């Protein structure tokens, strides 16, 4: 049996094997978020250089009343959140909507039951009267059930997560969201804006090395989960923002010609000196880019809600 058939498809193991044997090496940023990586990401969100979290918090704490005013619903509606995380920012929107007397049910969706349980506890401790129907599992299965009932929906996809998808994949995901939505349903998209390149560069290459540790965690995962012998100090981290394309691309860099072996994959991986492993795309958008993406996915942009520095937008779209 060859290696490709021995290793289950769609697993970390299969993706590492493919990513590190392709001509241009790559590892997906979706694998950043094991327990350790999620902890490092929390640290990133607290860094002064990493502005998106604070900007989106500001938007949702100060402008949720304006967001509510833009919703065309005059009956009960659902607020459906994809990948809800810890809910710190969403809480701002939910509490304003409740203060203003909006009649809604909050439906957070996450693949992790643990994350959903923590979120429910967190939200109900401050908003005990909230109507909440958390769902665990696949976004699209939940969308299918929601599209069968006539209640209008406001969908939330916050945090700038769309920027971590390649253009075609982002479009594919948004088209799938669109297909599961009813005419008149709304989508609030967190999107990071193009800005002074120095600000973006610092956010993804901090002096303390927290973002480096976030990326290096991929190599630790390979060592721990795939029984490998990568020497972590033989790799560095490099991240670059290109104002021309709006892309931040992040990489691990091999500091010398070297190899490592994984017992689980039964494979030795070779690296040239200075060879790169591409780890992440974080796309930044202009308002024109946002319009084009929304239109190509079947939406119209209703309004953009920005922080006071115009660094980040929660962009409200209608189907
Ligand atoms: C989760 N995602 C939106 C973050 C971003 O800004 O692309 C992940 C991240 N990568 C480095 N810093 C933060």
């Amino acid at each position: 049996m060859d290696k490709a058939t021995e290793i289950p498809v769609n697993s970390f193991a299969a993706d590492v094997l493919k990513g590190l044997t392709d001509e241009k090496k790559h590892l997906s940023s979706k694998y950043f978020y094991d327990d350790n990586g999620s902890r490092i990401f929390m640290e990133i969100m607290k860094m002064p250089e990493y502005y998106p979290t604070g900007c989106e918090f500001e938007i949702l704490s100060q402008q949720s009343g304006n967001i509510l005013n833009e919703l065309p619903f005059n009956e009960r509606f659902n607020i459906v959140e994809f990948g809800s995380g810890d809910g710190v920012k969403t809480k701002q929107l939910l509490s304003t909507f409740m203060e203003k007397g909006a009649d809604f049910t909050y439906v957070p969706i996450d693949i992790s039951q643990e994350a959903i349980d923590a979120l429910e506890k967190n939200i109900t401790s401050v908003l005990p009267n909230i109507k909440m129907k958390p769902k665990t599992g696949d976004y699209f299965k939940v969308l299918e059930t929601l599209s069968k009932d006539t209640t209008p929906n406001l969908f939330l996809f916050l945090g700038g997560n769309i920027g971590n998808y390649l253009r075609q994949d982002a479009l594919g995901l948004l088209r799938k969201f669109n297909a599961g939505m009813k005419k008149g349903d709304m989508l609030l998209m967190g999107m990071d804006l193009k800005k002074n390149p120095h600000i973006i560069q610092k956010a993804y290459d901090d002096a303390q090395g927290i973002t480096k540790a976030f990326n290096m965690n991929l190599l630790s995962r390979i060592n721990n989960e795939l029984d490998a012998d990568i020497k972590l100090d033989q790799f560095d981290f490099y991240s670059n923002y290109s104002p021309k394309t709006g892309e931040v691309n992040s990489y691990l860099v091999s500091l010398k010609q070297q190899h490592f072996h994984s017992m689980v994959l039964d494979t030795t991986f070779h690296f040239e000196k200075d060879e790169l492993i591409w780890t992440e795309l974080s796309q930044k958008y202009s308002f024109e880019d946002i319009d084009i993406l929304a239109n190509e996915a079947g939406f119209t942009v209703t309004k953009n809600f920005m922080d006071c520095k115009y660094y980040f937008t929660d962009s409200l779209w209608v189907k």
Side-chain angles (χ1 to χ4, degrees):
M1 209 173 5
D2 69 17
K3 281 169 193 152
T5 46
E6 269 170 55
I7 293 152
V9 275
N10 279 334
S11 71
F12 180 55
D15 286 350
V16 168
L17 183 60
K18 163 111 181 59
L20 296 187
T21 48
D22 272 354
E23 200 189 328
K24 283 196 186 284
K25 294 185 171 65
H26 57 95
L27 291 169
S28 169
S29 62
K30 74 178 177 199
Y31 293 118
F32 282 162
Y33 304 92
D34 65 344
D35 288 347
N36 188 42
S38 302
R39 268 193 299 274
I40 304 174
F41 185 53
M42 305 263 263
E43 289 303 306
I44 288 179
M45 290 195 291
K46 285 188 220 143
M47 298 185 328
E49 299 93 325
Y50 190 72
Y51 59 82
T53 311
C55 291
E56 193 170 45
F57 186 85
E58 179 198 313
I59 297 166
L60 296 179
S61 32
Q62 296 183 12
Q63 300 190 62
S64 288
N66 299 337
I67 296 172
L68 179 62
N69 289 340
E70 289 297 326
L71 302 183
F73 314 144
N74 35 29
E75 57 196 297
R76 192 171 61 79
F77 60 98
N78 297 314
I79 299 179
V80 186
E81 182 165 24
F82 297 120
S84 21
D86 62 6
V88 173
K89 287 176 286 178
T90 315
K91 235 186 309 190
Q92 301 302 311
L93 178 131
L94 298 173
S95 63
T96 306
F97 277 27
M98 285 180 80
E99 277 162 30
K100 306 246 174 222
D103 183 10
F104 67 88
T105 304
Y106 176 46
V107 187
I109 316 173
D110 205 294
I111 29 166
S112 151
Q113 182 65 47
E114 212 181 302
I116 281 287
D117 291 344
L119 176 76
E120 189 167 16
K121 227 168 124 189
N122 187 349
I123 298 275
T124 50
S125 67
V126 274
L127 300 170
N129 297 325
I130 194 165
K131 285 181 223 143
M132 195 163 163
K133 277 195 199 154
K135 308 254 186 230
T136 318
D138 182 69
Y139 292 167
F140 302 105
K141 290 218 176 84
V142 179
L143 262 178
E144 218 179 282
T145 48
L146 286 168
S147 64
K148 285 186 186 129
D149 118 29
T150 56
T151 313
N153 299 299
L154 165 64
F155 293 91
L156 308 178
F157 194 54
L158 302 177
N161 293 334
I162 194 70
N164 296 132
Y165 292 79
L166 290 170
R167 180 79 172 51
Q168 266 321 101
D169 297 342
L171 196 56
L173 180 73
L174 292 168
R175 284 185 173 147
K176 272 176 98 174
F177 283 169
N178 188 281
M181 289 167 66
K182 296 186 281 276
K183 187 116 190 82
D185 276 356
M186 310 290 288
L187 173 61
L188 189 66
M189 292 285 302
M191 300 178 88
D192 197 12
L193 295 169
K194 288 176 175 163
K195 62 185 72 63
N196 183 322
H198 291 298
I199 307 228
I200 298 178
Q201 185 67 43
K202 274 193 214 132
Y204 289 88
D205 195 6
D206 62 287
Q208 299 164 79
I210 301 177
T211 311
K212 175 178 175 176
F214 191 45
N215 280 257
M216 293 294 286
N217 183 50
L218 282 173
L219 300 182
S220 303
R221 281 195 69 176
I222 296 174
N223 275 351
N224 299 336
E225 295 171 39
L226 305 178
D227 198 357
D229 56 1
I230 305 174
K231 293 183 196 71
L232 300 186
D233 60 357
Q234 298 302 337
F235 284 88
D236 198 2
F237 166 69
Y238 174 75
S239 184
N240 175 259
Y241 174 62
S242 159
K244 207 168 158 189
T245 60
E247 291 177 4
V248 176
N249 283 292
S250 299
Y251 306 88
L252 291 160
V253 188
S254 174
L255 290 175
K256 60 174 198 182
Q257 192 185 52
Q258 58 181 318
H259 58 264
F260 77 83
H261 185 80
S262 157
M263 301 287 265
V264 172
L265 296 172
D266 188 19
T267 302
T268 299
F269 298 91
H270 297 271
F271 291 84
E272 293 304 320
K273 182 175 183 302
D274 299 329
E275 190 172 352
L276 303 174
I277 308 172
W278 178 58
T279 53
E280 187 178 46
L281 165 70
S282 291
Q283 182 69 47
K284 310 301 163 199
Y285 303 89
S286 66
F287 292 112
E288 195 192 345
D289 298 332
I290 293 175
D291 266 335
I292 294 170
L293 187 63
N295 295 342
E296 283 183 18
F299 296 96
T300 306
V301 177
T302 302
K303 200 166 173 169
N304 279 294
F305 297 91
M306 282 82 67
D307 61 293
C308 65
K309 295 199 195 107
Y310 279 49
Y311 282 2
F312 195 93
T313 179
D314 277 326
S315 189
L316 186 62
W317 301 0
V318 62
K319 171 166 173 173

